[in-house]
Amino acid sequence: MRQGKIDHLDVTDKRFLHKDGTIVWGRVTGSCVRKSDGSIDYFVAVVEDITARKHAEEELRKSEERFRSSVLLSPLPTLLYDDREQILALSRSWLEGSSYSGEELRRIEDWTARAYGERSGEVLEYIRRIISTEPQAQLAEMTIRTKDGRERLWTFACSALGTQSDGRRLFLCVAQDVTEQKAHEEQVHFLMHEVNHRAKNMLTLVQAVARQTAAREPEDFIGRFNERIRALAANQDLLVRNEWQGVYVEELVCAQLAHFADVGSRIAADGPKLHLNAAAAQAIGLALHELATNASKYGALSVAVGRVDVRWRLEGDTFMMSWTERNGPPVSPPERRGFGSTVVDSMAKLSVGGEVQLDYAPSGLMWRLKCPAANALEPWERESITGERRKSELTGDGRKSFGADKSKASSRSSAYQSYSTSGQCRTPA
């Protein structure tokens, strides 16, 4: 200023102590008045009180900090960015949900390139349209790819926040991981469709039972029809209890023969724990009901010393089940084929795609069912059995050993079940 190069000087904002003891902010500007020869005649200093503005700026700064903290700690994935495509803040939930770090996501294109792969350009253009047009909240649903390679379905809500003090326009994007929610909704729709399908199948089966019972056993239609409907209901109860994920064979036997509680241990069941699928459970359950009804009227359960053995097993990929009566009165093939015969023979055979043998031996009726395990068991049960078999077939030196397999199968099949006088299945000592 003395050298004549400048006549005006802005001094940095400073704090001053007011006479009353308060702190005020002031902006000091200085200028000089020169003489005709260019020398300085005197100086002029102007002090502007900018306390209110400083307080407003401080409040704005604190507000921005609070907002930034709320973004960082948001339970929903939240991203703050500006019109220069710079990411200003990312919530911890966004970083945790995507597995990326803040250092990897400095700009919008860093996110799109990592999260969308081949669709990166398309998504980036979508975000740029939001920046240029500033529409009302935009909703979108997109599949993102996390850093560890998982694909997650996220919903996004993006909107403009306004202009910052430095002129930058801000935008906020809030996301939510809806992968499990969508999977649940799809599962509900599937179950609704499945319930509708199963209900139609059940009504068709009830119609067939009614028609066949009326045609072949008209003299006792109500009684026989009610018994068969109760047998179907018992099957349904087991399937519903297990959420249609299969029924243990021993549970099915217990359910169908529970009304024979008075005969106690004269009915016994023996076999490994295997899950029948819904179709097999319904067909085999009805067959067991018909066999038990026939045995109580004409066979082993019609006399005090009679006995019934129900057994099932797996042989390789074949499921086998048998009903054997002993110590009952002599039996012979029926003179006419009723609906009961159709159930224990044709219906069981067709439902599991297997073979059924009925032997009216003098010692008592024998019923045998043989079918591919794939037709009778739940898929996950078959996969588990196949995996165990493959694992156990290969021993130390790489040679196959079947002896150990048989002993394991024997131990798994040792849970012998019988009926107590209370009608509940128990394991004998």
Side-chain angles (χ1 to χ4, degrees):
M1 191 177 289
R2 288 186 180 280
Q3 294 173 358
K5 294 181 180 180
I6 60 172
D7 292 329
H8 182 81
L9 177 66
D10 285 328
V11 181
T12 307
D13 298 348
K14 291 184 177 296
R15 290 183 300 174
F16 296 91
L17 181 62
H18 196 273
K19 184 178 181 180
D20 61 7
T22 60
I23 301 296
V24 296
W25 281 89
R27 169 164 289 180
V28 181
T29 58
S31 60
C32 64
V33 177
R34 297 182 183 277
K35 299 177 182 178
S36 58
D37 61 359
S39 62
I40 297 175
D41 189 4
Y42 58 88
F43 291 94
V44 178
V46 179
V47 179
E48 179 187 2
D49 187 346
I50 59 172
T51 305
R53 191 179 74 186
K54 281 292 185 179
H55 286 168
E57 290 176 353
E58 180 64 16
E59 286 300 316
L60 179 60
R61 185 189 65 79
K62 290 179 179 179
S63 176
E64 289 176 351
E65 284 299 322
R66 286 194 295 269
F67 176 71
R68 188 180 296 271
S69 296
S70 67
V71 169
L72 295 176
L73 300 176
S74 170
L76 290 177
T78 305
L79 178 148
L80 180 67
Y81 62 101
D82 62 19
D83 54 358
R84 303 167 191 172
E85 301 181 15
Q86 191 80 20
I87 294 177
L88 305 178
L90 277 168
S91 67
R92 294 175 185 173
S93 51
W94 186 296
L95 298 175
E96 291 170 357
S98 66
S99 302
Y100 298 110
S101 66
E103 289 72 22
E104 294 175 293
L105 305 178
R106 297 293 188 182
R107 296 183 56 79
I108 291 295
E109 59 186 339
D110 295 335
W111 164 252
T112 57
R114 287 173 169 81
Y116 301 102
E118 295 179 354
R119 295 189 59 202
S120 173
E122 174 189 343
V123 177
L124 187 57
E125 284 303 313
Y126 170 77
I127 296 174
R128 284 172 175 168
R129 283 197 301 272
I130 293 176
I131 292 175
S132 62
T133 60
E134 292 192 17
Q136 293 184 343
Q138 293 291 295
L139 303 179
E141 189 175 271
M142 301 179 189
T143 299
I144 70 157
R145 184 179 59 205
T146 64
K147 186 174 182 179
D148 52 8
R150 294 175 294 121
E151 289 193 345
R152 308 291 295 176
L153 185 64
W154 282 19
T155 58
F156 297 89
C158 301
S159 63
L161 285 184
T163 305
Q164 205 174 24
S165 56
D166 61 2
R168 287 185 297 173
R169 292 180 294 125
L170 299 184
F171 298 84
L172 186 70
C173 182
V174 179
Q176 183 176 10
D177 189 329
V178 294
T179 309
E180 280 74 23
Q181 176 186 330
K182 284 291 183 180
H184 176 70
E185 290 174 359
E186 291 176 2
Q187 179 71 3
V188 169
H189 288 309
F190 170 78
L191 289 176
M192 291 176 63
H193 176 78
E194 187 70 8
V195 166
N196 182 51
H197 173 70
R198 293 182 189 278
K200 289 180 178 178
N201 286 348
M202 178 58 67
L203 290 174
T204 300
L205 185 56
V206 169
Q207 186 181 41
V209 169
R211 185 187 302 114
Q212 295 288 346
T213 303
R216 300 181 181 183
E217 298 163 345
E219 68 283 353
D220 188 23
F221 171 76
I222 296 298
R224 297 293 288 142
F225 181 70
N226 284 342
E227 288 178 3
R228 286 162 179 161
I229 294 302
R230 280 197 295 269
L232 280 174
N235 292 346
Q236 288 294 108
D237 287 342
L238 283 176
L239 289 168
V240 171
R241 189 190 311 158
N242 290 289
E243 299 181 348
W244 292 90
Q245 297 300 310
V247 174
Y248 277 129
V249 182
E250 57 265 39
E251 287 184 351
L252 188 64
V253 174
C254 289
Q256 291 300 333
L257 304 181
H259 55 291
F260 290 101
D262 58 311
V263 298
S265 59
R266 289 168 54 201
I267 302 176
D270 179 26
K273 286 197 171 187
L274 297 173
H275 280 85
L276 295 174
N277 60 42
Q282 287 179 335
I284 293 175
L286 272 178
L288 290 172
H289 168 77
E290 295 296 336
L291 288 166
T293 300
N294 183 74
S296 68
K297 289 183 176 181
Y298 316 109
L301 299 181
S302 66
V303 296
V305 295
R307 185 177 178 87
V308 173
D309 289 319
V310 184
R311 302 180 183 277
W312 61 93
R313 67 183 187 279
L314 273 179
E315 286 191 0
D317 295 324
T318 301
F319 173 74
M320 305 180 75
M321 189 170 187
S322 65
W323 169 286
T324 305
E325 299 181 23
R326 294 185 285 112
N327 302 331
V331 296
S332 59
E335 294 181 359
R336 64 184 182 89
R337 184 179 174 85
F339 180 63
S341 300
T342 301
V343 169
V344 300
D345 185 4
S346 302
M347 183 180 291
K349 185 191 310 182
L350 293 173
S351 297
V352 295
E355 302 175 4
V356 172
Q357 293 180 349
L358 267 174
D359 185 4
Y360 295 90
S363 57
L365 175 69
M366 297 181 65
W367 173 85
R368 296 185 183 88
L369 170 67
K370 179 180 179 181
C371 70
N375 296 349
L377 303 183
E378 282 289 327
W380 57 266
E381 177 97 278
R382 301 195 306 269
E383 292 172 4
S384 175
I385 293 170
T386 302
E388 286 183 8
R389 185 184 302 132
R390 288 174 180 169
K391 185 176 179 180
S392 60
E393 282 179 356
L394 210 59
T395 57
D397 57 359
R399 293 177 299 177
K400 289 186 176 181
S401 171
F402 296 94
D405 234 15
K406 290 179 180 178
S407 65
K408 289 180 182 178
S410 175
S411 66
R412 287 197 299 266
S413 304
S414 62
Y416 180 91
Q417 301 285 341
S418 68
Y419 286 85
S420 65
T421 54
S422 64
Q424 300 297 320
C425 286
R426 63 178 175 83
T427 304

